[in-house]
Amino acid sequence: MRCSVFALGFAALAACTCSPAWAERISNPIAVFAGLDKISGVTTTFEVPIGEERRFGSVIVRPKVCYTRPATEEPKTTSFVEIDQIEFGNTRKTIFIGWMFAESPGLNALEHATYDVWLTGCRDPNAPPPPVETAPEVDVPQDQIKKEGEPED
């Protein structure tokens, strides 16, 4: 009996300590969407501030949150979105409520008879730009620099 209790305790401890560390998600003030008008074949990119709404054709897109991960982590961009359709008499009918994933647009996009809408990203205009890596400068001796018009060796 003691061995089985010890084994269970050890297994529980191993499960707790071996799980991957999750990076904190970053909340962004703007969600970026793409929308396809199936009648005209035109795809449009549009931004919607969190808590506000934008009309795209006869649908209204309203993101509640938009999360990303730090640049050092695997990309994972998600947004919880509500989408209404405007019907006759200017009434609204909710046609989508749920999470959209930028890395998997086909997983939870709105597929409407006339319009498709999917998340493409999140944006924070006040966030510092990501660091840009530059190649190190290399000093080349002047006698090794080939001048224009010189024959090759």
Side-chain angles (χ1 to χ4, degrees):
M1 179 73 174
R2 279 189 202 166
C3 290
S4 61
V5 171
F6 177 74
L8 286 174
F10 183 73
L13 178 64
C16 291
T17 59
C18 295
S19 62
W22 297 102
E24 286 197 34
R25 59 187 181 191
I26 300 168
S27 184
N28 296 277
I30 298 172
V32 184
F33 296 92
L36 170 64
D37 181 333
K38 295 179 183 177
I39 305 288
S40 67
V42 175
T43 301
T44 305
T45 299
F46 57 97
E47 296 182 350
V48 186
I50 301 305
E52 295 184 23
E53 59 186 36
R54 288 285 186 274
R55 185 172 175 164
F56 174 70
S58 65
V59 297
I60 296 175
V61 180
R62 192 172 46 256
K64 299 296 184 177
V65 295
C66 200
Y67 297 125
T68 55
R69 292 239 176 120
T72 57
E73 298 293 322
E74 182 178 336
K76 185 174 181 182
T77 305
T78 59
S79 181
F80 191 81
V81 184
E82 294 180 2
I83 301 178
D84 295 340
Q85 176 176 309
I86 299 174
E87 298 187 329
F88 296 109
N90 221 16
T91 60
R92 292 182 178 198
K93 176 184 173 188
T94 301
I95 57 174
F96 181 91
I97 297 176
W99 289 95
M100 289 187 176
F101 309 97
E103 288 75 26
S104 301
L107 188 58
N108 269 13
L110 170 72
E111 295 179 5
H112 181 268
T114 311
Y115 305 101
D116 285 352
V117 176
W118 62 96
L119 178 70
T120 60
C122 299
R123 198 169 77 74
D124 184 352
N126 300 319
V132 178
E133 291 185 26
T134 56
E137 291 187 25
V138 178
D139 287 331
V140 178
Q142 290 295 323
D143 60 340
Q144 291 184 6
I145 298 176
K146 183 180 170 199
K147 295 193 169 94
E148 198 173 321
E150 282 185 353
E152 294 203 22
D153 294 332

